[in-house]
Amino acid sequence: MLRNSELAELLAVEAESAAHPAQRALRRASRRAFLWEVEAAQLLQKGRSLTELSGVGPYIEKKILTWLDNPPSIPETPPIRRGFLALTDARREIDEKPGWLESIRGDLQMHTTWSDGSGSIAEMADAASERHYEYVAITDHSKGLKIAGGIDETQLQRQAVEIEAINATRSDVSRKTAVLRSIELNLNPLGQGDMDPASLQKLDLVLGCFHSSLRKKEDQTDRYLAALHNPNIHILGHPRGRIYNFRTGLHADWAKIFATAAELDKALEIDGYPDRQDLDVDLLRIARVAGMRISLGTDSHGPGQLRFMEFAAAAALLAGIRNDRILNFMSKDELLGWADNVRSRTHPASQQIRDQNKRQKRQTC
């Protein structure tokens, strides 16, 4: 039986020689195959039409039926599409460890209408409450990424007021998910952020991400080491910068990067967005040996995308990452304690600022 991940590859290969508009339809179906909630072959066995699947019309259905009836050999997957899990694959892995997904206490990357998301902070928090999360981190883009509606220091402070108000109204048991202040800090190739460090000190934690020069072929180890040594960063998000069938991402000495992250007690992310899945399982196995911390984030841009945690969770399980190395298994207080610890180690003056902010907050309560 051909699995959805194999059908995705066959669709992508077919697209390479197809003319428009078939090429576009095949590429779209290839991406969407990763989100099909049932194996196409099983759907067919139940006597149902494959056009029930997202991205599948009569033309695509005919192609898939031909492959399912007479399975071709699957060509070697090129790097630009290698190592991506289909949702059905992820769920099979998660089902092998009952209760593991439900033990995750929060999501550490998501976007709202403050930048390029479609949901408000309150709507994202409500979606997290439905998943029984203890906390979520709001990581809207910072000002340097204008194409994604990045926010500046003044907007970040205004967002803080909104988050404080939302947290104040979510005290009852059924709406207990705490909203943490964070940001997806845009990093340049030197590992430097685009926001005033003083504004970052007031956040609960900072996710740093590269968004430029992501197609370089030469080794990029130095940029990662610089980012990890940036005193304002706790988590390095979607590290390779890969996107399915669009960009392979950067190359580096990952063992050295992971060892440095472990030494600094910083985390690298598994971005669960289906087109990213970054870090992938192969790199995560190297990370496991290094003993570094891992952060799970869905990179959600709307409430319905919090379900992408299944991709991040399955990757961690497949790589054998221990729960005690994953930030998302920490309680909120443990997570914030770790974040403060990282700050005090890499930026001693920041702890004084944090203590001052806490005193001011108590005085206004």
Side-chain angles (χ1 to χ4, degrees):
M1 183 181 75
L2 289 176
R3 293 179 291 114
N4 288 347
S5 54
E6 294 171 319
L7 290 173
E9 179 58 20
L10 290 171
L11 288 163
V13 171
E14 188 76 12
E16 291 172 354
S17 58
H20 290 290
Q23 182 184 72
R24 183 177 179 182
L26 287 161
R27 287 175 63 90
R28 181 174 61 247
S30 174
R31 292 193 306 274
R32 293 187 180 177
F34 288 103
L35 282 170
W36 294 343
E37 297 201 0
V38 62
E39 295 286 356
Q42 293 175 340
L43 193 68
L44 185 63
Q45 288 172 357
K46 294 177 181 179
R48 293 161 61 185
S49 171
L50 297 185
T51 57
E52 293 181 32
L53 301 171
S54 177
V56 177
Y59 170 75
I60 301 293
E61 181 183 41
K62 185 177 179 180
K63 291 282 184 185
I64 295 176
L65 287 173
T66 299
W67 295 327
L68 292 176
D69 184 56
N70 186 21
S73 59
I74 307 299
E76 182 180 0
T77 306
I80 202 166
R81 296 193 296 269
R82 190 175 299 157
F84 287 86
L85 299 172
L87 180 60
T88 46
D89 298 328
R91 287 180 173 173
R92 272 192 296 270
E93 185 63 28
I94 290 168
D95 288 345
E96 290 292 316
K97 199 163 184 181
W100 196 89
L101 182 66
E102 290 74 17
S103 298
I104 291 173
R105 298 190 183 211
D107 187 335
L108 295 178
Q109 191 191 165
M110 62 181 60
H111 303 270
T112 74
T113 50
W114 278 88
S115 62
D116 60 342
S118 63
S120 67
I121 295 174
E123 288 169 336
M124 299 302 280
D126 286 342
S129 291
E130 291 175 5
R131 300 181 71 87
H132 307 291
Y133 284 158
E134 183 181 346
Y135 52 80
V136 292
I138 299 299
T139 57
D140 282 304
H141 290 287
S142 59
K143 63 183 181 183
L145 204 64
K146 296 186 185 303
I147 193 172
I151 59 177
D152 61 22
E153 290 83 354
T154 301
Q155 292 170 305
L156 185 64
Q157 186 54 42
R158 294 209 318 266
Q159 187 186 72
V161 174
E162 181 176 332
I163 289 175
E164 185 175 354
I166 289 171
N167 281 331
T169 63
R170 301 178 65 83
S171 56
D172 62 280
V173 175
S174 65
R175 301 167 64 84
K176 64 181 180 179
T177 302
V179 180
L180 305 181
R181 291 190 60 204
S182 187
I183 196 167
E184 183 173 339
L185 183 67
N186 187 40
L187 302 177
N188 66 23
L190 297 177
Q192 301 163 332
D194 61 345
M195 299 283 279
D196 180 359
S199 69
L200 302 177
Q201 304 296 325
K202 300 175 183 178
L203 302 178
D204 292 309
L205 70 164
V206 176
L207 178 78
C209 296
F210 294 112
H211 295 102
S212 60
S213 302
L214 296 177
R215 296 182 182 274
K216 289 185 174 294
K217 301 298 182 184
E218 60 269 24
D219 185 277
Q220 296 291 299
T221 303
D222 287 348
R223 81 151 73 177
Y224 289 105
L225 297 179
L228 286 170
H229 281 96
N230 184 324
N232 300 302
I233 292 175
H234 295 94
I235 303 166
L236 197 55
H238 51 70
R240 284 185 61 194
R242 74 173 188 164
I243 296 179
Y244 176 77
N245 213 17
F246 177 73
R247 188 172 63 220
T248 57
L250 299 172
H251 302 279
D253 182 344
W254 292 104
K256 185 174 183 179
I257 292 163
F258 297 155
T260 301
E263 179 185 349
L264 297 173
D265 199 28
K266 295 194 175 185
L268 271 73
E269 180 191 52
I270 307 177
D271 186 314
Y273 202 86
D275 282 0
R276 289 189 180 273
Q277 299 191 40
D278 178 16
L279 297 164
D280 59 69
V281 174
D282 287 343
L283 287 181
L284 286 168
R285 288 179 175 136
I286 302 173
R288 181 195 64 209
V289 174
M292 52 163 276
R293 293 192 189 272
I294 292 292
S295 174
L296 308 180
T298 58
D299 206 349
S300 298
H301 285 67
Q305 294 181 353
L306 267 68
R307 65 194 176 100
F308 294 164
M309 183 59 75
E310 291 176 275
F311 290 99
L317 282 170
L318 282 164
I321 305 295
R322 301 199 321 262
N323 293 16
D324 64 357
R325 304 315 298 162
I326 299 175
L327 299 181
N328 310 64
F329 283 94
M330 291 179 171
S331 68
K332 184 188 78 168
D333 289 342
E334 289 170 337
L335 178 66
L336 295 180
W338 165 78
D340 278 346
N341 242 8
V342 170
R343 275 199 173 104
S344 63
R345 290 179 60 182
T346 59
H347 199 312
S350 69
Q351 189 59 43
Q352 298 176 8
I353 296 173
R354 292 282 292 173
D355 291 342
Q356 181 181 1
N357 289 338
K358 288 177 181 178
R359 287 194 297 271
Q360 290 174 348
K361 189 173 182 179
R362 284 197 297 268
Q363 290 169 0
T364 57
C365 293

